[in-house]
Amino acid sequence: METAGFVQLLTPSGERVEHDEYAIDPSPEELRGLYQDMLLTRSFDAEAIKLQRQGELALWPSLEGQEAAQIGSGRALRDDDYVFPCYREHGVAWCRGMDPLDMMGLWRGVNGGWDGRTHNFHPYTIVIGPSVLHAVGYAVGATMDAADSAVMTYFGDGGTSQGDVSEAFVFAAVNQAPVVFFCQNNQLAISTPVNNQARTPIFRRAEGFGFPGVRVDGNDVLAVLAVTRAALDRARTGQGPTLIEAFTYRMGSHTTSDDAARYRLDSELEEWRRKDPITRLRKLLVAEGHADDAFFAEADAEAQRLLKRLRDGVRNMPDPAPGEIFEYVYGDPHSLLDGERDEYARYLASFET
């Protein structure tokens, strides 16, 4: 692994690393909060996989292994910042105050998403790339409104192969848009390894578009927090976009319809397990005396309470009425849609006779 520009503040063994540019000194309470965020996110992510296997969800894209990248960046955001995710950003959604049931409802098929204005967190975008363009457009609009907030958009290493992402980089650079491009390089675009997509580190692409890029240890929640805070501050003060490449790893399969064992080695997976983001922060908490057995036991108990609520909530979600599919297509009445709705209603009624 090339480590040029690799920002790390916490090693896999839980030891702090000094860094002049990205110094950070979170309080013990903040450290415990980051640990709880990562633990709870991993817990409900694992529960969602179980629910899918039981037929309660249609699909689920796991984030296991990427908790530090998501929690570190998510906790760097201000309430007035706006986020454009892809479809795996469950930890960022958690940081924005979203209920995991809203995410699970999407993958169960009982809702079409959520109102992004409620938590300044846009609905998931399943297609790879467009949300990055949407983020830049929103960011340019924010500058026209003289807002001092920033916009963050997430995508994976596979997303950098999409033309939409390159177009977004161009538009953001030319307009000095207050946007942070956050690439979670989890080493795989489904089954395609990153070295089959890029000949140079992803963060270096930013230079060609005229804005800075930085690579951070994506399994180090402290480094991600520090780097993202700096990039967001830069955006808010009119200094334009930044590309962050969080160098991490997708521990699970691409989605529950995928089998990662068919295209990666067990030895590679074990190597990354030794860099686990939750384990390394736990080691730091213990080494510095910021958490004891009682804290970890309560954190585990809190996770179990959350999982019970989610299990019950998913299984008791009411099925939407079939006609609701027409309610969220256009903001105003539309004659063509009205005709289609009526035709569909007659079709359903034909089964009742």
Side-chain angles (χ1 to χ4, degrees), residues 105-122:
L106 173 67
W107 298 104
R108 186 175 172 87
V110 302
N111 67 48
W114 46 83
D115 187 341
R117 295 168 294 185
T118 304
H119 299 287
N120 277 11
F121 186 83
H122 202 70

Side-chain angles (χ1 to χ4, degrees), residues 82-101:
Y82 200 95
V83 177
F84 285 84
C86 189
Y87 52 73
R88 200 186 300 275
E89 281 67 54
H90 319 314
V92 184
W94 173 264
C95 292
R96 300 306 279 171
M98 283 192 56
D99 191 328
L101 281 175

Side-chain angles (χ1 to χ4, degrees), residues 133 136-137 140 166-177:
L133 272 173
V136 176
V140 172
S166 291
E167 292 168 18
F169 286 177
V170 172
F171 199 66
V174 170
N175 290 278
Q176 282 291 90

Side-chain angles (χ1 to χ4, degrees), residues 1 6 42 63-70 88 155-157 182-188 194 202 215-221 224 245-251 264 268 272 275-277 280:
M1 177 183 69
F6 188 84
R42 177 172 291 185
L63 60 68
E64 184 186 4
Q66 299 177 220
E67 293 87 357
Q70 295 195 16
R88 200 186 300 275
F155 52 98
D157 48 290
F182 196 95
C183 174
Q184 294 179 88
N185 178 1
N186 63 17
Q187 312 303 311
L188 292 164
V194 68
I202 289 172
R215 174 183 271 187
V216 61
D217 183 347
N219 285 21
D220 174 358
V221 69
V224 174
E245 178 193 358
F247 201 84
T248 182
Y249 192 76
R250 193 193 76 214
M251 303 292 284
R264 70 179 178 193
E268 178 182 313
W272 279 94
K275 304 172 186 176
D276 185 274
R280 73 170 70 180

Side-chain angles (χ1 to χ4, degrees), residues 197-327:
Q197 304 172 67
R199 296 296 299 273
T200 59
I202 289 172
F203 78 98
R204 289 186 173 174
R205 296 188 184 188
E207 184 177 356
F209 291 92
F211 55 88
V214 57
R215 174 183 271 187
V216 61
D217 183 347
N219 285 21
D220 174 358
V221 69
L222 300 187
V224 174
L225 179 64
V227 167
T228 309
R229 278 180 178 171
L232 290 167
D233 287 343
R234 187 175 180 277
R236 296 189 193 104
T237 54
Q239 299 179 65
T242 302
L243 170 61
I244 297 174
E245 178 193 358
F247 201 84
T248 182
Y249 192 76
R250 193 193 76 214
M251 303 292 284
S253 295
H254 176 66
T255 69
T256 48
S257 65
D258 173 45
D259 179 9
R262 298 183 65 181
Y263 53 79
R264 70 179 178 193
L265 299 174
D266 289 343
S267 58
E268 178 182 313
L269 184 60
E270 286 306 311
E271 177 187 353
W272 279 94
R273 287 199 183 281
R274 291 192 289 271
K275 304 172 186 176
D276 185 274
I278 299 178
T279 301
R280 73 170 70 180
L281 184 56
R282 180 174 180 135
K283 290 177 180 178
L284 175 70
L285 287 168
V286 171
E288 296 190 350
H290 298 321
D292 55 16
D293 290 343
F295 165 79
F296 293 117
E298 176 53 32
D300 291 339
E302 182 182 357
Q304 292 306 311
R305 291 191 293 270
L306 172 64
L307 299 187
K308 183 181 186 308
R309 181 176 72 81
L310 296 179
R311 284 192 295 271
D312 294 342
V314 166
R315 289 167 178 157
N316 291 306
M317 285 180 179
D319 292 335
E324 282 189 24
I325 192 173
F326 297 96
E327 300 300 323

Side-chain angles (χ1 to χ4, degrees), residues 45-62:
D45 178 74
E47 187 66 27
I49 295 175
K50 294 176 184 177
L51 288 167
Q52 192 280 331
R53 299 307 190 207
Q54 296 165 9
E56 301 292 347
L57 302 180
L59 189 74
W60 184 259
S62 175

